[in-house]
Amino acid sequence: MLPALAEVMLPYLDKPFAFYGHRLGALLAFEAARYLRREHGLNPAHLFFAAWFDPVLPNPYPSDDESIQAISSITDLSESISQELMPLLSSSQE
């Protein structure tokens, strides 16, 4: 996807540019900046990220098991968590 994205953006990158990404868009902006630097020698003046963790640090979001343990420790719903809430927990990390 990055080569196609770069091809579309390249005509507009002849002056200083910046990327802003929110959630998954933050990861896409980071990877696009890396791709443009590596393949075309271009660097954005700024990268702005929102609602995402630092891409060079480990993922701070707990695994599904850790989420269930955390919720179970403050509720009496451990059985119903895995049955009813697990799809919600899993989808909130995507």
Side-chain angles (χ1 to χ4, degrees):
M1 179 165 96
L2 289 172
L5 181 62
E7 184 179 331
V8 171
M9 291 188 306
L10 279 171
Y12 303 99
L13 303 180
D14 59 343
K15 52 189 157 217
F17 63 95
F19 289 140
Y20 169 79
H22 188 268
R23 292 196 49 98
L24 185 58
L27 183 60
L28 182 59
F30 175 77
E31 292 298 338
R34 288 180 55 193
Y35 181 85
L36 289 170
R37 180 181 57 203
R38 183 177 62 245
E39 300 297 324
H40 299 281
L42 297 171
N43 289 307
H46 297 282
L47 288 173
F48 300 99
F49 303 136
W52 198 255
F53 58 93
D54 188 326
V56 298
L57 296 176
N59 185 340
Y61 298 110
S63 68
D64 293 340
D65 291 338
E66 291 170 319
S67 297
I68 290 172
Q69 281 182 327
I71 293 171
S72 296
S73 70
I74 58 171
T75 69
D76 293 329
L77 303 174
S78 57
E79 287 300 315
S80 60
I81 286 173
S82 59
Q83 299 291 321
E84 299 170 23
L85 298 179
M86 194 60 210
L88 296 174
L89 292 172
S90 296
S91 65
S92 69
Q93 296 175 22
E94 295 175 1

